[in-house]
């Protein structure tokens, strides 16, 4: 090792050139300081010949080694939303239609491994991190030997099985860097060459020896570690975990510092590994610490042969014509499924942003731990290569809780299994325990671009006091039971709309035990139950759906469309107890649809317009199959339509048109005030000879809501000037 060179020694001064190795330690967000140091190195003319890094030091080091300048890195890092990246937050539009419909109701998801319920390995799988690194390092993705990079590079990871150091100097650079920076519990471990790798800082957070082995004459070390915390400062899970990781790290740190010729150590006491919101302050500390050593840096530069830094074109491919698509690593998911989620076909011309969007779509399925991709461009177009790693967990236990005024208390238990019977399939069973026991069963085979198949079954029941229009009877307690089975096919049209069609069996039991006061006839009084409907229906169904809402609840932007057509072909033709005469069942059909549009101004004020409509073709004399309008809720089934300011099912007819406008203001993060005005016409003849506003019903509602990890918590007050009635609505948790 060369002597420390304030002077610089005779041995150094006689060299024709001086090879400088740069060592960058890990430290999470504190790694912003590395960029400030690099800017000062460039300013003083120091040429970096070798780079070694760990964790955040590996990320910054790899980017610099690939050809980015310090100024470019400054701009890049300041533009990244690290909170979003680390949490693998994906836009909701990336989720499959199945997940949007059936999956957004669980407060907790736990993996089932070896028939035992476990906990997730980390908050994030890190796909967003890999996407970002892949995009930034796209210009060197053809280089598998890191010594061939514009600046030779090496990084360190930890073998999670043995606890030993792994030197990463070959392979897919974004994956290697991600492995080095996979901080335990924040980012999931990465499997490379059969080894399960995690943050290199556990075993070697300052890889001095590894950079010396690369051939460096002089080592400049940048240490952003702030030492072990005192007892009073160990007040968070992140700090405690960082302290545990640091025990081994600091044992060898003094020894490693002795091997460094010039140590730059910014003061990081006021920052931690997740201080991503303090980029400017951290970089200021890095700049200050570097300038304290500026004389030594100048002397190092003077002992190097002046060479202009190699110019590297870091421009990314913006568009590519896809001549071929290669996929490696899929076992339980077909090529068609993967390409369908990617929205990618041969002979397509795609932008890089479209490719990232497709990768997000594939990642949002939750079926893949790791999705690597490369673009290889030639004169005729290009090849897109994917190397994927399927999720090792295929079974999950999911939990949810909910309370509302109709279904009362509900505890949701779900078991979801993937590729249980076929490739691409998902099997999901909901059991809802509480005041109204219910279940939902879904089996779906998603074939991507090709036709998909599904089967659904549900049992749903509730009871509610509803208006009854017989003389001397104001309300009755109505019991509603629905048992529905559907077999259907579905395809995606224009990569946006879901189209489906199928067959349905529906068994309805709608009855009341409020008999004594009704005095309909002796038959009813003897039975102690009066049935409005107790029939089996056999139907043809079809639908078209679009959902681009940014969130399931408290939407800020997006469009929603759901059009449903149901043709009632046959019925068991049970007679209504409350009608003295009953015509035989005749086939009829219903077309029902809803549309919603949300748009936000100033990021706080949202206008949300929703409209529902339904008409009946043919003759329907069964009130249970009418459109029943009134009440509040997001979990109504069949032809029950919410309408604020009216009792549940207070309005009923064979056709309706309803519109609502909600103004919602987010006065604090995830806290909302709202005002809703809704209007409806519930008539058999909606057009009414042009008098379309005649007999329009109105209702209004004000409310307060909080978006929580359990789901929305809301309290609303509603009224209608038509009836002078007033209602309080309260709900907790995701709707199911």
């Amino acid at each position: 090792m060369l002597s420390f060179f304030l002077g610089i020694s005779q041995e150094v001064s006689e060299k024709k050139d001086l090879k400088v190795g740069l060592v960058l330690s890990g430290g999470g967000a504190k790694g912003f300081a590395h960029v400030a140091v690099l800017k000062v190195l460039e300013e003083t003319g120091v040429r970096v010949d070798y780079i070694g890094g760990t964790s955040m030091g590996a990320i910054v080091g790899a980017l610099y080694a690939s050809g980015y300048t310090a100024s470019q890195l400054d701009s890049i890092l300041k533009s990244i939303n690290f909170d979003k990246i680390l949490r693998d937050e994906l836009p909701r539009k990336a989720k499959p239609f199945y997940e949007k419909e059936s999956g957004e109701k669980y407060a907790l998801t736990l993996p089932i491994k070896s028939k035992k319920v476990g906990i997730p390995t980390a908050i994030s799988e890190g796909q967003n991190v890999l996407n970002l690194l892949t995009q930034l390092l796209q210009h060197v993705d053809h280089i598998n030997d890191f010594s061939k990079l514009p600046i030779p590079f090496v990084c360190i990871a930890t073998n999670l099985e043995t606890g030993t150091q792994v030197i990463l100097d070959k392979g897919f650079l974004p994956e290697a860097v991600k492995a080095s920076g996979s901080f335990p519990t924040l980012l999931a471990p990465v499997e490379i060459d059969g080894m399960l790798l995690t943050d290199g800082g556990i075993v070697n957070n300052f890889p001095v020896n590894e950079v010396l082995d690369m051939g460096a004459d002089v080592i400049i070390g940048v240490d952003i570690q702030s030492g072990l915390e005192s007892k009073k400062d160990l007040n968070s899970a992140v700090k405690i975990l960082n302290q545990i990781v640091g025990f081994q790290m600091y044992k060898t740190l003094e020894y490693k510092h002795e091997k460094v010729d010039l140590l730059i150590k910014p003061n990081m006491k006021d920052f931690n590994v997740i201080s991503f919101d303090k980029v400017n302050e951290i970089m200021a500390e890095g700049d200050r610490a570097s300038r304290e050593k500026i004389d030594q840096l100048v002397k190092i530069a003077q002992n190097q042969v002046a060479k202009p830094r190699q110019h590297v074109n870091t421009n990314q491919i913006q568009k590519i014509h896809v001549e071929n698509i290669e996929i490696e690593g899929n076992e339980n998911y077909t090529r068609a499924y993967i390409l369908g989620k990617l929205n990618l076909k041969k002979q397509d011309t795609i932008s890089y942003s479209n490719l990232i969007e497709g990768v997000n779509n594939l990642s949002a399925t939750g079926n893949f731990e790791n999705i690597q991709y490369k673009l290889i461009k030639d004169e005729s177009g290009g090849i897109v290569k994917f190397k994927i790693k399927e999720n090792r967990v295929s079974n999950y236990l999911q939990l949810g809780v909910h309370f509302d005024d109709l279904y009362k208390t509900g505890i949701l238990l779900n078991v979801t299994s993937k590729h249980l019977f076929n490739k691409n399939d998902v099997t999901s069973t909901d059991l809802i325990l509480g005041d109204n026991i219910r279940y939902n069963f879904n089996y779906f085979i998603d074939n991507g671009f090709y036709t998909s198949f599904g089967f659904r079954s549900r049992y749903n029941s509730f009871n509610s006091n509803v208006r009854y229009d017989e003389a001397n009877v104001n309300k009755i307690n109505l019991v509603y039971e629905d048992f529905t089975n559907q077999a259907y096919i579905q395809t995606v049209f224009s990569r946006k709309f879901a189209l489906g069609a199928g067959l349905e069996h529906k068994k309805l039991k709608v009855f009341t035990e409020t008999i004594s006061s009704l005095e309909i006839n002796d038959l009813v009084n003897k039975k102690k139950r009066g049935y409005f409907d107790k029939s089996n229906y056999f139907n043809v169904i079809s639908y078209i759906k679009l959902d681009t809402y940014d969130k399931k609840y408290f939407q800020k932007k997006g469009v929603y469309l759901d059009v449903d057509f149901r043709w009632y072909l046959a019925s068991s033709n049970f007679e209504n107890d409350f009608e003295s005469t009953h015509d035989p069942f005749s086939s009829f059909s219903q077309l029902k649809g809803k549309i919603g549009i949300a748009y936000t101004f100033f990021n706080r004020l949202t206008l949300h317009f929703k409209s529902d409509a339904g008409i009946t073709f043919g003759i329907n004399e069964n009130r249970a199959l009418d459109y029943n309008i009134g009440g509040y809720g997001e979990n109504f089934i069949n032809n029950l339509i919410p309408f604020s300011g009216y009792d549940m099912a207070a309005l009923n007819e064979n056709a309706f048109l309803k519109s609502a406008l909600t103004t919602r203001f987010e006065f604090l993060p995830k806290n909302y005030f709202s005002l809703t005005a809704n209007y409806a016409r519930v008539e058999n003849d909606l057009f009414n000879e042009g008098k379309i506003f005649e007999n329009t019903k109105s209702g209004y509602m004000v409310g307060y809501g909080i978006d929580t990890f359990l789901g929305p918590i809301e309290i609303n007050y509603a009224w209608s000037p038509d009836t002078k009635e007033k209602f309080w609505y309260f709900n907790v948790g995701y709707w199911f």
Side-chain angles (χ1 to χ4, degrees):
M1 187 67 183
L2 298 176
S3 59
F4 192 71
F5 46 85
L6 285 175
I8 293 183
S9 70
Q10 182 69 23
E11 182 182 355
V12 173
S13 63
E14 290 175 355
K15 280 187 174 288
K16 293 182 180 179
D17 196 7
L18 197 66
K19 299 291 186 181
V20 173
L22 180 63
V23 179
L24 304 176
S25 79
K30 293 180 287 185
F32 290 133
H34 291 320
V35 178
V37 173
L38 288 169
K39 292 176 77 172
V40 175
L41 293 184
E42 289 183 355
E43 181 184 325
T44 56
V46 174
R47 185 191 72 242
V48 177
D49 299 288
Y50 307 100
I51 300 179
T54 298
S55 196
M56 192 63 167
I59 294 173
V60 174
L63 292 170
Y64 195 70
S66 75
Y68 287 101
T69 66
S71 294
Q72 286 175 314
L73 291 182
D74 186 316
S75 300
I76 289 169
L77 293 180
K78 287 181 178 178
S79 68
I80 295 172
N81 183 335
F82 281 91
D83 182 58
K84 181 177 179 179
I85 292 290
L86 289 173
R87 289 190 291 113
D88 258 0
E89 184 178 310
L90 295 172
R92 184 173 177 268
K93 66 180 181 179
K95 292 184 178 181
F97 272 95
Y98 174 87
E99 179 68 19
K100 290 178 183 178
E101 280 194 298
S102 305
E104 297 180 309
K105 54 190 174 185
Y106 308 112
L108 181 64
T109 298
L110 300 172
I112 300 175
K113 305 174 183 177
S114 302
K115 299 181 180 180
K116 295 180 181 178
V117 177
I119 59 174
T121 57
I123 294 174
S124 166
E125 286 290 342
Q127 185 62 47
N128 274 355
V129 174
L130 185 60
N131 286 351
L132 176 64
L133 292 171
T134 300
Q135 183 174 3
L136 293 174
L137 295 170
Q138 181 194 124
H139 59 286
V140 293
D141 66 7
H142 60 287
I143 299 176
N144 295 320
D145 183 346
F146 303 164
S147 67
K148 305 298 183 185
L149 290 167
I151 301 176
F153 171 77
V154 67
C155 63
I156 306 299
T158 301
N159 187 321
L160 198 53
E161 187 176 16
T162 64
T164 57
Q165 168 178 298
V166 177
I167 299 173
L168 298 173
D169 56 6
K170 291 181 175 61
F172 186 52
L173 183 58
E175 183 182 47
V177 172
K178 176 175 176 281
S180 180
S182 290
F183 190 81
T185 73
L186 292 182
L187 291 176
V190 178
E191 186 173 336
I192 299 178
D193 297 333
M195 298 179 293
L196 195 61
L197 305 181
T198 191
D199 196 305
I202 297 172
V203 291
N204 185 358
N205 202 41
F206 202 62
V208 178
N209 292 333
E210 290 71 22
V211 177
L212 283 170
D213 291 342
M214 296 170 79
D217 300 313
V218 172
I219 297 292
I220 299 174
V222 186
D223 183 5
I224 56 173
Q225 301 163 98
S226 51
L228 295 172
E229 300 279 1
S230 62
K231 180 175 67 175
K232 64 182 180 63
D233 293 324
L234 292 172
N235 51 16
S236 72
V238 171
K239 286 187 176 181
I240 292 172
L241 186 58
N242 204 43
Q243 185 91 337
I244 295 170
V245 170
F247 291 153
Q248 178 67 27
M249 181 192 308
Y250 292 113
K251 284 182 181 179
T252 60
L253 192 56
E254 185 176 345
Y255 160 76
K256 290 180 179 180
H257 281 179
E258 291 174 356
K259 292 194 171 188
V260 172
D261 296 287
L262 179 61
L263 179 65
I264 299 174
K265 189 165 177 53
N267 182 0
M268 294 286 112
K269 278 291 185 181
D270 295 332
F271 313 107
N272 58 49
V273 295
I274 57 173
S275 297
F276 292 106
D277 58 334
K278 298 181 179 180
V279 54
N280 291 322
E281 295 94 324
I282 292 171
M283 290 187 70
E285 284 299 325
D287 181 78
R288 181 196 58 76
S290 302
R291 295 193 180 280
E292 287 179 356
K293 304 293 177 70
I294 201 160
D295 291 339
Q296 295 97 311
L297 292 172
V298 169
K299 288 182 180 180
I300 293 175
Q302 289 172 349
N303 283 272
Q304 290 183 296
V305 175
K307 298 177 184 176
R309 188 181 179 196
Q310 176 187 350
H311 174 72
V312 178
N313 182 6
T314 57
N315 293 334
Q316 299 158 11
I317 297 173
Q318 298 302 311
K319 284 190 176 182
I320 189 170
H321 181 73
V322 182
E323 288 292 328
N324 196 18
I325 304 167
E326 298 179 8
I327 300 174
E328 176 188 344
N330 56 311
E331 296 178 6
N332 296 300
Y333 298 93
T334 63
R335 178 182 174 89
Y337 172 87
I338 293 170
L339 293 179
K341 299 305 173 192
L342 291 168
N343 286 336
L344 190 62
K345 290 180 179 179
K346 287 184 181 180
Q347 306 306 316
D348 276 356
T349 297
I350 64 164
S351 66
Y352 198 88
S353 60
N354 290 146
L355 178 61
I356 293 292
E357 184 176 319
V359 172
N360 286 343
N361 293 344
L362 189 60
S363 179
T365 64
N367 298 329
F368 302 93
E369 290 181 6
N370 188 286
I371 305 167
Q372 297 178 24
Y373 48 93
K374 294 182 182 181
L375 299 180
I376 302 174
K377 196 169 184 180
D378 55 31
E379 293 180 359
S380 62
I383 299 173
V384 187
K385 290 188 174 184
F386 293 95
K387 183 179 179 182
I388 64 175
K389 180 173 177 56
E390 294 178 357
N391 201 322
R392 288 165 288 184
V393 178
S394 57
N395 300 295
Y396 299 88
L397 173 66
Q398 303 186 99
L399 307 171
V401 294
H402 184 75
F403 174 85
D404 66 68
D405 298 307
L406 177 61
Y407 287 94
K408 308 303 181 185
T409 302
I411 299 174
L412 173 59
L413 306 176
N414 170 272
V415 175
T416 295
S417 297
K418 299 185 177 183
H419 48 83
L420 182 62
F421 302 110
N422 294 282
K423 291 185 176 183
N424 311 340
D425 76 3
V426 56
T427 307
S428 175
T429 304
D430 288 339
L431 177 61
I432 301 161
L433 305 175
D435 292 285
N436 292 277
I437 295 177
R438 294 168 279 156
Y439 85 81
N440 292 289
F441 174 81
N442 280 280
Y443 179 74
F444 187 61
I445 303 174
D446 190 339
N447 289 323
F449 282 125
Y450 302 115
T451 302
S452 302
F453 304 90
F455 174 77
R456 288 188 283 247
S457 179
R458 81 175 178 207
Y459 172 75
N460 191 296
S461 69
F462 62 85
N463 67 84
S464 178
N465 292 323
V466 300
R467 288 184 177 278
Y468 189 74
D469 52 9
E470 283 292 319
N472 303 318
V473 179
N474 184 28
K475 288 187 176 182
I476 60 173
N477 183 263
L478 187 75
V479 179
Y480 192 105
E481 296 181 6
D482 171 279
F483 176 56
T484 298
N485 301 287
Q486 295 177 344
Y488 63 97
I489 59 174
Q490 178 176 291
T491 190
V492 176
F493 174 72
S494 190
R495 302 178 182 176
K496 294 181 180 179
F497 293 89
L499 296 171
L503 301 174
E504 177 184 75
H505 161 253
K506 182 182 292 290
K507 181 176 182 179
L508 281 181
K509 290 171 66 176
V510 185
F511 61 89
T512 182
E513 294 181 344
T514 314
I515 299 298
S516 57
S517 60
L518 293 181
E519 298 179 358
I520 303 297
N521 54 52
D522 291 338
L523 177 64
V524 172
N525 288 324
K526 289 178 182 178
K527 292 168 60 176
K528 298 184 179 179
R529 274 188 183 182
Y531 281 94
F532 294 94
D533 195 4
K534 187 180 179 183
S535 305
N536 290 281
Y537 296 95
F538 302 93
N539 313 322
V540 171
I541 60 171
S542 61
Y543 58 84
I544 180 171
K545 297 182 180 181
L546 168 69
D547 185 352
T548 67
Y549 279 155
D550 62 327
K551 297 192 293 183
K552 181 76 170 180
Y553 305 103
F554 305 116
Q555 301 89 350
K556 287 195 170 185
K557 62 180 180 180
V559 176
Y560 180 84
L561 175 70
D562 185 357
V563 179
D564 175 275
F565 177 77
R566 181 171 276 98
W567 184 6
Y568 292 85
L569 293 176
S571 169
S572 59
N573 203 34
F574 181 84
E575 294 187 3
N576 189 323
D577 287 337
F578 299 99
E579 293 183 2
S580 56
T581 61
H582 186 75
D583 295 329
F585 175 84
S586 60
S587 177
F588 68 96
S589 59
Q590 292 181 326
L591 178 64
K592 179 175 62 175
K594 64 176 67 174
I595 186 171
I597 302 172
Y599 189 80
T600 297
F601 302 86
F602 317 114
N603 202 37
R604 287 180 177 269
L605 181 65
T606 301
L607 296 182
H608 194 178
F609 174 78
K610 292 186 285 188
S611 186
D612 299 59
I615 56 175
T616 301
F617 303 99
I619 298 175
N620 167 38
E621 296 182 343
N622 186 344
R623 177 172 176 174
L625 298 179
D626 277 348
Y627 297 108
N628 290 280
I629 317 299
Y632 173 78
E634 297 279 347
N635 53 2
F636 285 5
I637 63 171
N638 296 336
N639 288 345
L640 296 166
I641 311 296
F643 185 64
S644 302
Y646 273 76
D647 254 332
M648 181 180 175
L651 307 170
N652 70 287
E653 192 49 88
N654 275 321
F656 80 100
L657 174 62
K658 186 198 86 170
S659 295
L661 179 64
T662 297
T663 302
R664 188 164 49 243
F665 179 68
E666 186 177 15
F667 66 98
L668 290 173
K670 298 186 177 182
N671 286 256
Y672 302 88
F673 281 131
S674 63
L675 172 63
T676 299
N678 57 186
Y679 306 91
R681 290 198 72 246
V682 186
E683 305 282 349
N684 191 42
D685 179 10
L686 287 179
F687 296 102
N688 193 29
E689 297 180 345
K691 302 175 184 178
I692 58 175
F693 296 107
E694 189 176 71
N695 200 27
T696 296
K697 310 299 182 183
S698 63
Y700 303 90
M701 184 170 70
V702 294
Y704 168 63
I706 310 174
D707 194 359
T708 75
F709 76 98
L710 290 174
I713 298 176
E714 297 174 286
I715 183 167
N716 293 284
Y717 175 73
W719 72 96
S720 173
D722 307 329
T723 63
K724 311 302 181 185
E725 287 192 286
K726 301 173 178 62
F727 304 89
W728 285 98
Y729 305 127
F730 180 67
N731 63 272
V732 177
Y734 292 114
W735 291 88
F736 50 76

